């Protein structure tokens, strides 16, 4: 069971998905506008957000960026608009998955569970990947049982990347998430921080296992 925030303006779709996901064992909080959705997120951060793209007031792209700036909670974008431009826009805004309406509740439930599994965070707040252990509660990191000393910025970078394994983050997205949303800085800050982090957690910096480069775009956390 997951605590889910559903942001959907259509009352019939909203109520139908809320009831259906509830039957699948999830606890669903619903909001009808982008503003209400962001407020609900701040009041009680969920484990996952299901977000409609077409919303009154601020649209789904803006809501997605605002939620992503607050952390790494998985976001599934749910919308009737399925052209490539909107899909790419949604993913670049920070969505982890994108589903085109109409969708069967069983399919949405399966995608929710898949996204949560990719997140890799156990019920005790621990993420483990090939010997690397990230405790999101105590904010400690270890590699093959040995503690790893990270700076605050390196830790924020690792928490951001490891929160969505396989997801590609652009340098701009990492600047906003790690160095604050409105940070106006040089993207080389990201590259330098990645190099320092790799030096502490990677066995072979030329062939990284954890923080991988996606040429021409940014970085992702492996394994994919």
């Amino acid at each position: 069971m997951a605590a889910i925030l559903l942001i959907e303006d259509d009352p019939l779709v909203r109520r139908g998905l809320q009831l259906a996901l509830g039957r699948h064992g999830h606890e669903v909080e619903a909001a009808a506008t982008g503003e209400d959705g962001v407020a609900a997120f701040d009041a009680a951060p969920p484990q996952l957000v299901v977000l409609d793209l077409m919303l009154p007031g601020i649209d789904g792209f803006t809501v997605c960026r605002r939620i992503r700036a607050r952390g790494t909670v998985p976001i599934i974008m749910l919308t009737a608009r399925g052209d490539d431009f909107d899909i790419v826009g949604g993913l670049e805004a920070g969505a982890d998955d994108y589903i085109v309406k109409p969708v069967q509740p069983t399919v949405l439930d399966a995608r929710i569970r898949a996204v949560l599994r990719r997140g890799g965070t156990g019920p005790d707040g621990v993420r483990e990947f090939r010997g690397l252990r990230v405790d999101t509660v105590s904010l400690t990191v270890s590699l093959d049982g040995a503690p790893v000393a990270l700076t605050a910025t390196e830790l924020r970078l690792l928490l951001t990347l490891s929160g969505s394994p396989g997801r590609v983050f652009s340098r701009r997205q990492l600047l906003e998430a790690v160095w604050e949303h409105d940070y106006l800085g040089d993207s080389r800050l990201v590259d330098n921080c990645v190099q320092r982090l790799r030096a502490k957690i990677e066995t072979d910096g030329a062939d990284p296992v954890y923080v991988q480069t996606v040429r021409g775009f940014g970085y992702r956390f492996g394994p994919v």
Side-chain angles (χ1 to χ4, degrees), residues 6 10-23 105:
L6 170 65
D10 187 311
L12 294 178
V13 174
R14 184 173 65 249
R15 184 57 178 163
L17 289 178
Q18 191 172 20
L19 291 172
L21 291 176
R23 287 194 292 270

Side-chain angles (χ1 to χ4, degrees), residues 88-89 91-94 166-174 187 190-191 212-220:
V88 171
L91 295 174
E92 289 189 343
R167 176 189 163 194
V168 181
F169 289 84
S170 69
R171 289 171 175 80
R172 177 179 176 181
Q173 288 170 331
L174 290 173
S187 63
V190 177
D191 298 331
Q212 302 172 350
T213 301
V214 179
R215 193 171 301 278
F217 192 81
Y219 299 97
R220 69 182 172 203

Side-chain angles (χ1 to χ4, degrees), residues 62-147:
T62 302
V63 174
C64 188
R65 285 191 291 268
R66 290 185 183 180
I67 290 176
R68 181 56 63 230
R70 288 160 164 78
T72 59
V73 170
I75 301 171
I76 295 178
M77 198 162 271
L78 180 65
T79 179
R81 292 168 58 173
D83 58 81
D84 290 346
F85 178 81
D86 288 326
I87 293 174
V88 171
L91 295 174
E92 289 189 343
D96 297 276
D97 202 353
Y98 196 107
I99 302 177
V100 178
K101 296 177 184 176
V103 60
Q104 292 296 321
T106 53
V107 174
L108 178 56
D109 173 63
R111 300 283 278 271
I112 287 170
R113 294 176 188 274
V115 168
L116 289 173
R117 284 196 301 272
R118 290 203 304 269
T121 303
D124 55 357
V126 174
R127 303 169 183 168
E128 294 190 78
F129 308 89
R130 298 186 183 180
L132 182 68
R133 188 177 190 272
V134 182
D135 191 321
T136 65
V137 177
S138 64
L139 299 181
T140 56
V141 177
S142 62
L143 182 61
D144 296 328

Side-chain angles (χ1 to χ4, degrees), residues 129-130 132 161-162 164-167 202 208-212 220-224:
F129 308 89
R130 298 186 183 180
L132 182 68
L161 291 169
S162 66
S164 300
R167 176 189 163 194
E202 301 284 0
V209 172
Y210 305 112
V211 181
Q212 302 172 350
R220 69 182 172 203
F221 190 88
V224 177

